[in-house]
Amino acid sequence: MLQNEIPTKDWLVFDNTPEIRQSSKEVAFPLAPDNELVMKKLIDFVKYSQDPQKNSDHAIRPAVGLAAPQIGNNIKMYYIRIEDTDEETGTKKVTEHAMINPKIIGKSNQISCIEEGEGCLSVNGDKEGLVPRSFRIIVEGYDYLKQQQVTITVRSYEAIVFQHEQAHLEGKLYYDLINKKKPWAKKSNWIIL
Ligand SMILES: [Zn+2]
């Protein structure tokens, strides 16, 4: 682990607190130690949530991403970790992004959503429905893992995760985007993942 505390559900802020709906602040560089600690907690939390051994009592739902406001810090940071298995070779592939001051600078008109909807550690009980987002986006920001400014184009599921986390920095939650009258209604040109 990158920091000393064992991740617990007690770190989480839920959608019944006003802070989760606030916009997050830009992070100053060089990184202050308390801000760096927030990133370390985000990374440790997500990794812990995905580790079947450490998280053996399933105290934390497995997460592919976590944003700083979700652990009580309204600053522009999130961490994403997606584990994939290549179906042909069976090899495991891990995609990680530890973003500071991320910004979405481009979005495709093509809309996409995850077939079964989305979930969020800050939302108790899943709110059902399709969450339409852009299929492809361009993200700019500082990647803490690479220790440099990056501009990346991401697509499909990865792009959905990015937009979910980015929304947290603006105080928005996935269910804001669900069609209130017809939650599962989809347009014919959407890509369903
Ligand atoms: Zn979330």
Side-chain angles (χ1 to χ4, degrees), residues 20 65-67 70 118-123 133 161 164-165 167-168 172-174:
I20 206 82
L66 193 66
Q70 294 184 271
E118 294 181 21
C120 178
L121 288 179
S122 296
V123 180
R133 301 190 187 272
V161 178
H164 179 116
E165 300 312 328
H168 275 299
K172 292 178 187 152
L173 297 168
Y174 73 93

Side-chain angles (χ1 to χ4, degrees), residues 34-59:
D34 55 336
N35 284 343
E36 188 166 9
L37 179 63
V38 174
M39 181 55 92
K40 288 177 174 175
K41 287 177 94 171
L42 292 172
I43 295 171
D44 282 347
F45 191 105
V46 170
K47 284 188 175 171
Y48 187 93
S49 83
Q50 293 180 1
D51 187 327
Q53 276 165 345
K54 286 183 183 151
N55 194 20
S56 59
D57 53 356
H58 304 289

Side-chain angles (χ1 to χ4, degrees), residues 51-134:
D51 187 327
Q53 276 165 345
K54 286 183 183 151
N55 194 20
S56 59
D57 53 356
H58 304 289
I60 304 172
R61 279 193 287 164
V64 288
L66 193 66
Q70 294 184 271
I71 56 168
N73 299 89
N74 283 82
I75 55 174
K76 288 187 176 171
M77 278 186 184
Y78 52 74
Y79 172 65
I80 289 170
R81 186 179 195 274
I82 300 168
E83 231 177 80
D84 257 343
T85 310
D86 187 308
E87 280 176 22
E88 279 171 26
T89 63
T91 44
K92 211 172 79 173
K93 189 185 138 209
V94 177
T95 307
E96 285 178 288
H97 305 278
M99 303 304 293
I100 300 176
N101 299 334
K103 229 165 128 179
I104 295 176
I105 57 164
K107 275 186 178 200
S108 66
N109 292 326
Q110 175 67 58
I111 298 296
S112 167
C113 51
I114 299 170
E115 190 170 22
E116 61 271 20
E118 294 181 21
C120 178
L121 288 179
S122 296
V123 180
N124 277 323
D126 289 333
K127 297 261 202 299
E128 297 204 335
L130 295 175
V131 185
R133 301 190 187 272
S134 290

